[in-house]
Amino acid sequence: MPELPEVEALRGFLADHLVGHEVVRVLPVAISVLKTYDPPLTALEGQEVTAVHRHGKFLDAETAGGLRFVTHLARAGWLHWRDRLPDGPPRPGKGPLALRVALETGEGFDLTEAGTQKRLAVYVVRDPLQVPGIARLGPDPMAADFDEPRLAGLLAGERRQLKGALRDQSLIAGVGNAYSDEILHAARMSPFKPTASLSAEETHRLYEALRATLTEAVERSRGLAAGRLKAEKKSGLRVHGRAGEPCPVCGDTIREISFSDSSLQYCPTCQTGGKPLADRRMSRLLK
């Protein structure tokens, strides 16, 4: 799933390629991706794109007519830029193509989604806050006013484990499964550590790890073409997706805990005092 760094890079890429250009056609292929119907998709046609914004993991293209084309790529969605779109309209079928946007230059992009669980979402709205997922978002951790006291205040009212708190979009916008693993590894904290037990020193450590991990990932992704972002994300991860490999910090074997629809990775030496975690959702450290 694309998270804050990749979506921010896509925002920058689209700002360079969309702003100042006219949308001449929006062609839905999978009707399931469209979550709003008024205004219709066709209302975007003939509109000039004036800005591209990011809200957590949402992309938001603003037009001169006041409409917003908002998309959330979900777990298996992606954006593919085309310097030259194929001739003729796309054909509905069983492939990954979900929607195509064409510009007056002949360029454009496709939104695709792999797999059987179709969660890619597209909205046409006049105000991004009309999108329920955006209206529920917590603060952006890369914002200038997201300081350590603000993080401490957000966590103070929570009674759950750190991994779940970091992934909660209504608490902190933009962090998902991969970067929550990376942040907790950098902070040297167990994914199952209760938020209520954090000391002032641990909160400071978590804040520094959060900002540094996301900042570094954003800088690595900045300026990359859309097609290179997935590979860049994977290459920059230290623990997520690397179960069985040595930890780049201490050399211990990275371990994994699997859930019904996801998994997490961590280093026992760096994060749990050398003790492996039991592989169940509500695990505690093994005695």
Side-chain angles (χ1 to χ4, degrees):
M1 176 186 289
E3 300 178 36
L4 186 156
E6 296 77 48
V7 179
E8 177 60 23
L10 284 173
R11 185 209 60 77
F13 179 87
L14 290 177
D16 291 341
H17 289 74
L18 288 183
V19 172
H21 292 292
E22 179 186 326
V23 175
V24 296
R25 198 78 69 234
V26 185
L27 301 165
V29 178
I31 298 300
S32 61
V33 305
L34 188 58
K35 306 305 179 186
T36 57
Y37 300 93
D38 182 22
L41 274 176
T42 54
L44 293 166
E45 296 175 359
Q47 294 290 323
E48 178 187 338
V49 179
T50 56
V52 182
H53 311 276
R54 177 183 62 79
H55 313 279
K57 301 177 192 177
F58 289 83
L59 284 167
D60 168 15
E62 182 177 1
T63 68
L67 295 180
R68 315 290 278 257
F69 175 86
V70 177
T71 186
H72 189 287
L73 296 172
R75 174 170 293 185
W78 198 247
L79 185 148
H80 302 268
W81 181 260
R82 310 293 187 193
D83 290 328
R84 179 71 188 178
L85 288 171
D87 294 329
R91 295 181 179 180
K94 295 183 179 180
L97 181 61
L99 184 138
R100 174 168 291 164
V101 174
L103 304 179
E104 90 284 2
T105 59
E107 301 169 295
F109 62 86
D110 290 339
L111 296 179
T112 65
E113 186 172 27
T116 58
Q117 293 186 348
K118 302 303 182 181
R119 297 176 179 173
L120 178 69
V122 169
Y123 309 80
V124 179
V125 293
R126 294 179 176 85
D127 184 338
L129 290 177
Q130 292 176 296
V131 177
I134 293 179
R136 291 193 299 266
L137 287 177
D140 192 303
M142 296 303 294
D145 62 351
F146 191 92
D147 55 15
E148 188 175 326
R150 190 164 194 190
L151 176 63
L154 290 170
L155 296 178
E158 296 298 310
R159 294 293 183 270
R160 52 177 153 171
Q161 296 160 340
L162 273 178
K163 172 76 174 180
L166 288 175
R167 292 186 64 186
D168 184 347
Q169 299 304 293
S170 65
L171 190 71
I172 300 172
V175 178
N177 196 31
Y179 287 107
S180 58
D181 282 352
E182 297 298 299
I183 291 163
L184 290 169
H185 178 255
R188 307 187 304 281
M189 292 182 185
S190 167
F192 294 146
K193 184 175 182 63
T195 56
S197 72
L198 289 178
S199 66
E201 189 277 330
E202 288 172 328
T203 300
H204 173 74
R205 213 161 71 218
L206 181 64
Y207 175 78
E208 292 295 319
L210 172 68
R211 293 283 289 208
T213 299
L214 294 178
T215 298
E216 290 167 8
V218 168
E219 290 303 318
R220 287 197 308 270
S221 301
R222 193 183 302 279
L224 291 182
R228 295 177 56 195
L229 287 172
K230 287 185 179 180
E232 170 55 39
K233 176 180 180 179
K234 186 175 181 180
S235 69
L237 298 175
R238 291 185 166 197
V239 292
H240 185 80
R242 300 193 180 278
E245 298 180 21
C247 170
V249 175
C250 71
D252 193 3
T253 301
I254 295 169
R255 300 195 179 224
E256 177 175 273
I257 295 177
S258 297
F259 305 122
S260 59
D261 61 350
S262 66
S263 63
L264 66 83
Q265 289 79 41
Y266 70 100
C267 170
T269 294
C270 292
Q271 296 176 253
T272 61
K275 298 179 181 180
L277 295 169
D279 195 356
R280 61 182 183 272
R281 187 179 296 269
M282 298 304 293
S283 172
R284 294 186 177 183
L285 291 178
L286 290 176
K287 301 295 185 181

